[in-house]
Amino acid sequence: QVQLVESGGGLVQPGGSLRLSCAASGSASGRIFSVNTMGWYRQAPGKERESVAGINDGGMTNYADSVKGRFTISRDNAKNTVYLQMNRLKPEDTGVYYCNLDSPYSSYDYWGQGTQVTVSS
């Protein structure tokens, strides 16, 4: 089993910043925690969930075009934690942000419970 716990969401004004964190823990094989891609997805009201950013255990990253240059994803492998630094936030960044962990050593796709990010004046 893998549990993902997100934190760091909240209400921020346009142009502001937030930092999301997602800590992975559980009784699953250590290989799942050491070989994986962790990422952030978001879902706005009435819209489908979309990928925001991802990072693999080697540090390779990818971003949605809409957040490139504003968001930075990073991870601390020793803490099994992934971060999303969000700068210059826009109202369209509003949504529930979910953490995801995907490993070749597991057939499951793990998700956190989500954290709300609201960008509004």
Side-chain angles (χ1 to χ4, degrees):
Q1 287 282 16
V2 174
Q3 290 80 45
L4 301 176
V5 178
E6 301 119 331
S7 60
L11 172 65
V12 64
Q13 292 187 343
S17 298
L18 282 175
R19 189 192 194 208
L20 305 183
S21 300
C22 172
S25 64
S27 59
S29 165
R31 294 180 301 176
I32 293 175
F33 293 102
S34 60
V35 182
N36 60 60
T37 295
M38 296 187 74
W40 291 94
Y41 291 70
R42 67 187 179 192
Q43 188 166 19
K47 294 187 176 181
E48 293 186 354
R49 190 175 298 188
E50 63 176 355
S51 175
V52 176
I55 183 169
N56 69 12
D57 49 270
M60 291 186 62
T61 60
N62 63 82
Y63 296 92
D65 287 343
S66 59
V67 307
K68 283 181 181 177
R70 300 187 298 122
F71 291 10
T72 302
I73 190 169
S74 61
R75 63 188 287 164
D76 184 334
N77 291 333
K79 296 181 179 179
N80 294 325
T81 299
V82 64
Y83 306 95
L84 186 68
Q85 178 66 43
M86 305 185 292
N87 298 328
R88 292 185 281 138
L89 282 160
K90 304 176 181 180
E92 51 263 44
D93 294 318
T94 294
V96 179
Y97 282 68
Y98 297 92
C99 178
N100 172 265
L101 186 151
D102 180 45
S103 173
Y105 293 104
S106 174
S107 59
Y108 294 103
D109 203 12
Y110 300 101
W111 293 91
Q113 79 286 356
T115 184
Q116 177 70 44
V117 171
T118 303
V119 185
S120 175
S121 55

